[in-house]
Amino acid sequence: MTDEVVTHAFTRTIRVPGLAKPVALITLDNGFDHTKPNTFGQEGLNSLSAAFDAAVQADPAAIAVTGKPFIFAVGADLTGVGQVTDHATALAIGQQGHDVFRKFTDSKVPTFAFINGAVMGGGLELALSCHYRTIASNVAAIALPECFLGLFPGWGGTQLLPNLIGADRAVTVIIENALNQNKMLKPKQAFELGIADVLLDSPDYIEQSLTWLADVVNGKTTVQRAEIDRGEAWDAAIARARAIVEGKTHGAAPGPNKAVELLELARHNDLDRGYAAETEALADVVMSDELRAGLYSFNLVQKRARRPAGAPDKSLARPVTKVGIVGAGLMASQMALLFARRLHVPVVLTDIDQARVDKGVGYVHTEVDKLAGKKRISPDEANRLKALVSGALDKAAFADADFVIEAVFENLEVKQQVFAEVEEHVSAECVLATNTSSLSITDMAAKLRHPERVVGFHFFNPVAVMPLLEIIRADKTDDATLATAFKVGKELKKSSVLVKDAPAFVVNRLLTRFLGEITAALDEGTPFDVADHALDPLGLPMTPMILLQLVGPAVGLHVAEVMHNAFPDRFGVSENMKRFVEAGKTAVWQWDAQGNQTLDPEVAALWQTGDSPSTSEQLLDRTLAALADEVRRMLDEGVVAEAQDIDLCLILGAGWPFWLGGITPYLDRSGVSERVTGKRFLEPGVASVPR
């Protein structure tokens, strides 16, 4: 395959005290530092195979494999998958991985994996293929993330892991963690699960691993492995796996479903049969549009998000040595903690009375104490963070701030007044940022002496968790302000997307459009359960009504009103939703002690419906058509540079799954794009199988 960054495998022999023969140590290294991890492509696998053969030729007491500093290996070189155009080539990918890794499993000489650094996907499958595993206590990431991408562990993982640690634990690692936003394991967890046989401290990790290897080879140390229950426990694990996959994907991604089938097959502990099934299933999934969309998503998150389209030259950015936050509510307090943790500069919160200021600063201090209690930060770091965050009533406290962000009530006049007050105290170069979710940045800046330093800086809730930052350029925002905003976003470890100053920007505009279709269908008489599950075939992270509950119906109604004012022909305002909010309701559904979901009778009583219900299929089609229409309009308006930016926003800001590719690949492959807009959003072969 072209463009492969080859991870070479180098074999050397080492004399270890207590062993008559040397140890053959294979080191994986692609020649780059830890920022470009080891991966396995065709040439990399060839190199590993040759290194293993060379190790056997050395007549060693044992063969061990390890990685370069901080990295063991993180799996297959995914860049090559996009070039696969036929089933036979896809089969060959699976077969080669199995053939090479199985050399370590079938070896007559004991094989060891020294997991010295990040290990994921095929890297972990290589480690599982060895007879024994040690792991360093400072390994940063351990996972089988394939189901997150819409794939499954295809080089032995589905067969080896359940037979090592049991089916239920394997379901947790392969399916539950992967579909829970790609949750990683810590070294101690990997050891406790039985993935690693021993956990070793890091400073002299390789030396300790070699000593432990010698004890195993000499018989001084006997590795105890759990007995595997292949009966009722396996049945229960598979049932749990099916429930997780159905709940998370609704059948929208073939990879996780294949993972369940293969975990069931692993009960027989027959590698010939299991690996053949893995290879065949891998080829099927590699040749699916869903996986290509997943890889497209992966590339957006890993590459495009790091080089935002349209961002000014970073050399124009000004230094930020102090941050001001107007408001001390929950969103503002979350921001204060994030700015202090990431920028390590003083942060000042202001509000209209001392009680609110004290509550905001108190929230930050409490959250810092929680981090310290979980040992995520040291006591010294906790004290430093608390010292950085303070409160004040007077905006004069912002006099020496370089970056002031407002997080007050979502009302244009209020925000204009706030910025006017701030402008009286700050320098002409101080960036004025707004966290508005839908209002015009240009209007907000219109009455200021220096409108060029106003920029939209839209976080998503919860601030610490959601990775997206929409950076909005108003009509007069200058490049220095914009560059500073992107620099701050990067320092906050957010993925920033440049957005034009248009109503509700990207994520909220699209979510409001699709929620509007669901609400309209409810108003027309579609039953709540039908409307709330009409989009299940997309495999979205939550149903529309649960999303509305999370966002807050009052916030959703406000954005709908903003969008209705801007585009009354496409965005309606539901009278039922108004009554819902006025009644103080926050949820459509209620749950009993057993977790059974029913419609809140008070909601049913206040909702006035028509007599034109839609089927779930009709509503799905209607909603997809609305999304395609809105995406095309946004691109025509220049809200973002390309369709890829809309997809990136939905993945990072709304948690839409990788196998959708955000949304445009799904709209393309389902034919909705061309039916509604007359053309595709992406070229054929981008986020789909080349045909």
Side-chain angles (χ1 to χ4, degrees), residues 249 255 291 320 570 577 661:
T249 75
L291 177 64
V320 173
R570 304 196 307 280
M577 188 58 67

Side-chain angles (χ1 to χ4, degrees), residues 180-201:
N180 185 19
Q181 290 300 304
N182 197 17
K183 183 179 178 182
M184 299 282 159
L185 295 171
K186 294 185 175 4
K188 186 179 179 186
Q189 292 172 309
F191 169 64
E192 290 172 347
L193 283 169
I195 292 172
D197 298 311
V198 63
L199 176 67
L200 300 172
D201 284 335

Side-chain angles (χ1 to χ4, degrees), residues 506-514 627 630-631 634 646:
V506 176
V507 175
N508 284 344
R509 179 166 169 174
L510 285 172
L511 293 186
T512 302
R513 182 80 195 265
F514 105 83
L627 284 170
E630 203 62 36
V631 169
M634 291 166 71
I646 286 177

Side-chain angles (χ1 to χ4, degrees), residues 496-523:
S496 301
V497 174
L498 179 61
V499 182
K500 180 183 175 182
D501 188 15
F505 317 125
V506 176
V507 175
N508 284 344
R509 179 166 169 174
L510 285 172
L511 293 186
T512 302
R513 182 80 195 265
F514 105 83
L515 280 173
E517 296 299 329
I518 302 297
T519 306
L522 289 171
D523 293 348

